[in-house]
Structure formats: structure tokens, C-alpha cells
Amino acid sequence: MSEQTGRPLRALVWNEGVHERNHDPADIGEYYPEGIHGAIAAGLRRLLPDAEVATATLDEPEHGLSEQVLERTDVVLWWGHVAHEAVDDAVVERVRRHVLGGMGLLVLHSGHYSKVFTRLLGTTCSLAWRNEGERELVWTVKPSHPITRGVPSPIVVPRQEMYGELFDIPDPDDLLFISSFAGGEVFRSGVTFTRGRGRIFYFSPGDQEYPVYNQPEIQQVLANGVRWAAPTDGERVVPDVTNPARGWFADGA
């Protein structure tokens, strides 16, 4: 239940669904039988039992991100990889507008290249990468933050795609996690931003080739992220220019 709105928190897990549809990799259905979005949603339902958790994919009308859906959504979790350009620009702008108005956004793994993330951040969001199934250690560097609460440090991810610096993002509001890899690279794997009235959390661990979203520690991070990113009130208004008349405020009035 949301303390601010008095109704259940509403989260929407969005995934392209392309890897699942194409059976790429061939065994993705074994560790993600309900898709990447299904695994993420299952973790949220377990850890946020009072929340309403829905899913949507690229091939749905309006990608499952209609105005009506977004109006009733508190937080969107976005997983993308091979179909960033297939996302309709009108839908991207719609999501962006809702984030600026106060909707929370969690961007996951290769979602760093999504249109909505790059447009909100204004940089390339490029990085170094190598996919050889290396061990990743996810180190907490801000234990006081709500997203890191109850999360072990480090989280050990046995096999994962390497993401490394330089990660071309603006300076984040908060740096929460830094990952180190067996190959020697490090990466700012958990960062937060504020855009307009909306809170954004980027978290990199989680790939289509490895069952990372089945790990309880990763699920805890995402559940914490949803709680943190949820709007602080029920109003959804994009900051805009105002033109108040002189004298609209008087001391002591």
C-alpha cells in the first residue's frame, strides 16, 4: 500500500520479449519460463505482496504503454536489448512525459541504450562490454540509501556479461553500487537520477543469457528500487513555465 496515495503501489515490468520469442539463447525458456519480465515480476510480487505488478511487451498495442496504462502506473521497470529502435517514438515521449511528471523509472541492464533513458539523460549512455560469462561482484557504496537496505555486499553474480567504464552518463544523484569483474574492469552498476519530478534508478546486473533475475539479492534490489522510485504524491504534473502576477504572495498573508 502506498502511504501517499492510499492505494496499492502499481508497478509495470516492460520487456521487449524478443529474446524469448526467438529462443535466443536456445535455453532461455528453461531459466525464464515466463520471460525476463515474468521473472522480475515474480520477484516483486514476492517482496511487495501489497503491490499490483503487471507486465507488458513490445508486440502489444502501443507496446502495452498506453496513456491509460501509464496514468495508473507508479513505476515502470524497463528491460531492452535488441529492439531499442523498434520502440515507437510517440510511446517513448509518452513515457518520458510521465517520468517528468513524477512516475518512477527503473532501467535495467541493456536498457541503458533505450530511447527513453538516453533522452532523459541527454548523453550516449555508451559503455565497455564483453560477454564471456564472468563473475560479477556488486559492491554497495552507499549503505544509507533505501535501495541498498537489506542487500549483502557484495552480491555475487556467478556468470554475467561484463559492463565497464567509461559509462557515458551524467554525474548521478547517488552512486549506490560499483561492480567488479573477473577480467579486472569496474562499473557504476547502480545509480540514481532525478528528472523533473520523477526518480530514475539504473541497475545493470541481469542478462538474457544468465538467470540473474532469479537471484534473491537482485530481486531485493529491484523491490527496494520500486519502493524508492514510487511517486511521493498522487499528482502527475510535468514542471512547466509559470507567469504569476506580481504581488501574488504577501508576507504574513
Side-chain angles (χ1 to χ4, degrees):
M1 186 72 66
S2 169
E3 296 179 1
Q4 290 76 27
T5 63
R7 58 161 175 75
L9 188 157
R10 296 166 178 165
L12 176 66
V13 184
W14 190 89
N15 171 31
E16 295 170 349
V18 174
H19 284 286
E20 295 89 341
R21 184 171 66 246
N22 294 338
H23 305 288
D24 175 27
D27 58 348
I28 190 172
E30 297 178 14
Y31 46 86
Y32 291 140
E34 303 300 324
I36 292 171
H37 51 299
I40 295 171
L44 294 179
R45 291 179 181 125
R46 179 178 65 84
L47 293 165
L48 303 173
D50 294 332
E52 295 179 2
V53 181
T55 63
T57 56
L58 181 70
D59 57 2
E60 297 178 31
E62 299 184 75
H63 310 321
L65 298 167
S66 67
E67 183 67 35
Q68 293 74 20
V69 167
L70 293 178
E71 282 177 353
R72 68 185 306 275
T73 298
D74 297 308
V75 181
V76 168
L77 298 91
W78 190 284
W79 196 98
H81 181 216
V82 294
H84 299 311
E85 292 306 312
V87 181
D88 186 83
D89 285 341
V91 173
V92 172
E93 179 54 32
R94 185 183 303 151
V95 174
R96 175 181 170 274
R97 173 168 50 81
H98 276 271
V99 172
L100 294 177
M103 185 181 74
L105 178 67
L106 271 62
V107 178
L108 309 177
H109 194 52
S110 292
H112 68 91
Y113 267 148
S114 65
K115 291 179 182 178
V116 67
F117 192 56
T118 56
R119 292 180 187 180
L120 281 164
L121 266 58
T123 57
T124 68
C125 299
S126 59
L127 44 74
W129 69 277
R130 177 180 60 249
N131 196 353
E132 296 182 3
E134 301 172 40
R135 186 190 70 174
E136 176 181 6
L137 300 179
V138 185
W139 301 91
T140 297
V141 295
K142 190 165 186 180
S144 62
H145 197 280
I147 293 179
T148 65
R149 187 171 299 144
V151 177
S153 181
I155 300 171
V156 180
V157 181
R159 300 182 68 226
Q160 168 70 342
E161 180 179 17
M162 185 281 293
Y163 276 6
E165 298 292 338
L166 175 70
F167 188 18
D168 182 27
I169 54 174
D171 289 342
D173 293 348
D174 286 297
L175 174 60
L176 307 184
F177 300 103
I178 293 177
S179 287
S180 59
F181 292 85
E185 290 85 0
V186 297
F187 185 69
R188 289 168 289 167
S189 53
V191 291
T192 70
F193 302 91
T194 304
R195 290 295 183 269
R197 301 177 70 235
R199 291 177 167 184
I200 302 170
F201 172 47
Y202 172 76
F203 188 60
S204 65
D207 184 81
Q208 73 280 357
E209 295 192 23
Y210 315 107
V212 179
Y213 292 119
N214 294 332
Q215 289 192 221
E217 310 97 319
I218 300 297
Q219 293 175 348
Q220 185 67 64
V221 171
L222 299 185
N224 289 352
V226 167
R227 287 195 196 95
W228 171 83
T232 56
D233 57 52
E235 191 176 22
R236 184 75 55 86
V237 179
V238 177
D240 202 357
V241 173
T242 61
N243 183 217
R246 182 174 177 176
W248 72 274
F249 173 79
D251 288 339

